[in-house]
Amino acid sequence: MADVRDLRIVIIGAGMGGLGTALAFAKKGFKNIDVFETASNLGFVGAGIQLPPNVVRVLHRLGCWDEIFAEATNVKGTSIRQGSTNAELSHVDMPDIEEKYGFPHCTGHRSSLAGGLFNGCRKQSAIKFHFSTSLVKVNSFSPKAVITVKPRDSDEYTVEADVLLASDGIKSRTRTQMLAELGTESQEEDTGQAAYRIMLKRSEMEHDPEMLELLNSDTVVRWVGERRHIIAYPVSNKNIYNLSSAQPDTNFASATNATYTTKGSKSEMLKVFEDFCPLVHRMLNLVPDGEVCEWKLRVHKPLPTWVHGSVALLGDACHATLPHLSQGAAMAIEDGAVLAEVVSKIPADKMHDPETITKTLKVYELLRKPHCSELVALAAHSGRILHLGEGKAKEERDREFRQNGKTGSVPDKWASPDVQKMIYSHDWVQEASDNFERLYATL
């Protein structure tokens, strides 16, 4: 008897979006899920990451949240400070996030999130990983997706998929080919921003009372200055303090599009934040020489579509975002959960009908594209507000900061109660389930 769960699902990329997508399909009962990843293993490196309630909801449903939460920090507030003086511009208490939205707002290590998702995947016999295997090209988008892949140490071969889901990131080869087939191309939007990512150990900080207070807190701190800021919080059972910055892009400005990261100079990093307060300087000085890395923050202009034939894009492949709203990984994992929900709705007698598969993937796009596009724009807006220089606009921003969220709005949008409500209250899997038939009928 025909069963939609027999469809072959192929996923390109084993980042947060790819892992979440594979696990979501397995939890829906799909039996044939292949994940192709260029890296030889997941590596589990990276910096800290925020885990807002909307993604915790999905992780809980996928059965992997408890493992991730065991090492996370349950955030109870945020402190926004003037970078130059450490004076607090605003303190927004967040004691009732879980009460409001059913799930907490946490911070964690990226390796904890990836590890939790990967461990969940490994418990599912339906999921097969193909590491050290790169996508060469998409040979066909419809009626079935056909791709060529190349293992690192052997010959390339072709793979056929009933549904191909591309979670292959900001440099997505699938996106490039999809748009070329449609007679257009992806256009990069230069953000003019770069980032340092720093992780300090408890042993490095415990001698300094001010640093130790930060590490032992349940607070996200953001130091803001003209055209730059630093956001910081404890992760890994408060044994690591994570700092991420945003500053003007100077080292990448003349680089090729292929360049996304570079070894940074410690003296250059200190110079970028030279007018920040002594507390920030003491933390930055703990970074060993030769271990400074800088990332260029890249996004692309909104795409005309995320779907072509039996292929859909998700995560950074279709809505790369600046980090100022802390929603990048969350959106990617939500994408995967929504895709699993809508594909599971395909009637068994239509499971091999190309038009039905395309329309089903289009329902995913209708659900997610407007929302994700709004969050990408909001993250960019928040960055502009945080980086204001002296003048009336900054004075107005700081006046609003002093209200501490009591008006329902905060200039730092990830901490703003109205924005939190807009993002955190959505159960996208439920919305996909409730609205599938209505949206499908419009196509």
Side-chain angles (χ1 to χ4, degrees):
M1 189 169 133
D3 185 343
V4 68
R5 293 171 297 182
D6 288 326
L7 288 174
R8 186 176 189 190
I9 310 299
V10 171
I11 298 164
I12 305 298
M16 303 304 182
L19 292 171
T21 302
L23 188 52
F25 272 88
K27 288 288 186 175
K28 274 291 179 182
F30 286 83
K31 304 164 193 171
N32 303 293
I33 304 160
D34 289 274
V35 183
F36 292 87
E37 168 57 45
T38 301
S40 57
N41 57 63
L42 293 187
F44 296 153
V45 294
I49 192 167
Q50 296 207 42
L51 302 164
N54 55 308
V55 77
V56 174
R57 178 183 291 111
V58 178
L59 296 169
H60 184 268
R61 190 175 274 137
L62 295 178
C64 58
W65 172 241
D66 288 348
E67 176 185 342
I68 298 163
F69 184 53
E71 297 184 1
T73 300
N74 194 340
V75 175
K76 298 301 182 184
T78 180
S79 174
I80 297 104
R81 305 179 183 186
Q82 185 64 47
S84 58
T85 63
N86 199 36
E88 192 166 69
L89 296 171
S90 183
H91 190 101
V92 183
D93 288 318
M94 296 161 48
D96 56 351
I97 291 288
E98 188 166 4
E99 182 183 328
K100 283 180 179 176
Y101 304 112
F103 300 93
H105 185 120
C106 297
T107 59
H109 197 295
R110 284 178 182 269
S111 66
S112 293
L113 175 56
L117 287 166
F118 186 55
N119 289 338
C121 287
R122 289 198 297 181
K123 294 172 185 174
Q124 303 293 326
S125 60
I127 302 173
K128 184 178 181 183
F129 286 95
H130 307 264
F131 290 108
S132 303
T133 305
S134 302
L135 173 69
V136 177
K137 62 180 177 178
V138 181
N139 305 318
S140 171
F141 287 85
S142 184
K144 289 195 175 188
V146 180
I147 59 173
T148 297
V149 296
K150 171 80 170 66
R152 190 169 300 166
D153 299 321
S154 59
D155 295 336
E156 59 186 43
Y157 61 95
T158 59
V159 177
E160 186 177 89
D162 294 303
V163 178
L164 176 65
L165 304 173
S167 182
D168 47 352
I170 181 74
K171 295 187 273 188
S172 171
R173 184 166 286 179
T174 315
R175 178 186 70 237
T176 300
Q177 272 199 251
M178 177 188 288
L179 295 179
E181 284 248 335
L182 297 170
T184 183
E185 62 182 5
S186 173
Q187 293 182 296
E188 184 175 321
E189 195 160 53
D190 189 11
T191 68
Q193 296 177 55
Y196 295 112
R197 290 172 183 159
I198 297 162
M199 304 197 83
L200 303 177
K201 299 181 182 71
R202 175 172 284 274
S203 60
E204 297 170 320
M205 299 178 71
E206 58 190 0
H207 67 283
D208 187 310
E210 276 190 294
M211 288 190 205
L212 196 59
E213 184 180 1
L214 293 172
L215 183 59
N216 288 335
S217 75
D218 297 315
T219 303
V220 174
V221 180
R222 199 185 305 258
W223 290 273
V224 298
E226 185 173 355
R227 300 184 68 202
R228 62 212 190 284
H229 76 263
I230 293 172
I231 188 168
Y233 44 79
V235 300
S236 301
N237 289 318
K238 298 185 177 176
N239 287 310
I240 292 176
Y241 199 60
N242 177 81
L243 298 93
S244 299
S245 72
Q247 66 273 348
D249 166 26
T250 55
N251 292 325
F252 297 93
S254 60
T256 67
N257 285 350
T259 304
Y260 286 76
T261 182
T262 187
K263 275 284 186 184
S265 155
K266 181 173 179 176
S267 61
E268 190 66 33
M269 177 180 70
L270 292 172
K271 186 177 178 183
V272 169
F273 296 100
E274 64 183 350
D275 64 343
F276 273 41
C277 62
L279 173 58
V280 168
H281 285 182
R282 294 200 303 276
M283 289 191 288
L284 296 182
N285 268 307
L286 292 175
V287 181
D289 290 314
E291 290 189 20
V292 176
C293 277
E294 189 175 20
W295 281 258
K296 179 165 178 65
L297 299 177
R298 293 183 182 272
V299 300
H300 44 73
K301 292 181 179 178
L303 305 181
T305 184
W306 296 359
V307 172
H308 181 42
S310 299
V311 183
L313 307 172
L314 67 124
D316 282 356
C318 53
H319 52 71
T321 182
L322 288 168
H324 311 321
L325 209 58
S326 302
Q327 282 290 318
M331 288 192 290
I333 293 169
E334 282 181 326
D335 287 347
V338 169
L339 279 161
E341 184 65 28
V342 298
V343 173
S344 73
K345 300 280 188 186
I346 295 174
D349 62 343
K350 294 280 192 180
M351 60 187 275
H352 293 300
D353 174 48
E355 185 181 5
T356 298
I357 288 178
T358 301
K359 285 184 176 180
T360 298
L361 296 177
K362 281 287 188 182
V363 170
Y364 148 74
E365 182 180 308
L366 287 171
L367 283 161
R368 296 291 293 160
K369 193 168 186 277
H371 175 75
C372 293
S373 299
E374 182 179 5
L375 297 198
V376 170
L378 193 56
H381 169 77
S382 194
R384 289 191 293 271
I385 297 298
L386 290 171
H387 294 171
L388 286 171
E390 294 299 327
K392 288 186 178 180
K394 179 177 178 295
E395 290 171 11
E396 176 60 25
R397 180 201 72 183
D398 291 352
R399 184 196 65 75
E400 190 178 344
F401 266 136
R402 287 191 290 273
Q403 300 298 314
N404 296 328
K406 293 182 176 64
T407 63
S409 180
V410 176
D412 187 351
K413 291 305 173 188
W414 89 261
S416 190
D418 55 344
V419 174
Q420 289 177 342
K421 183 178 181 181
M422 183 263 287
I423 300 173
Y424 302 164
S425 61
H426 278 293
D427 181 341
W428 284 102
V429 174
Q430 191 63 52
E431 292 203 21
S433 179
D434 292 346
N435 293 290
F436 178 80
E437 290 185 12
R438 177 181 63 81
L439 292 172
Y440 188 93
T442 67
L443 296 166

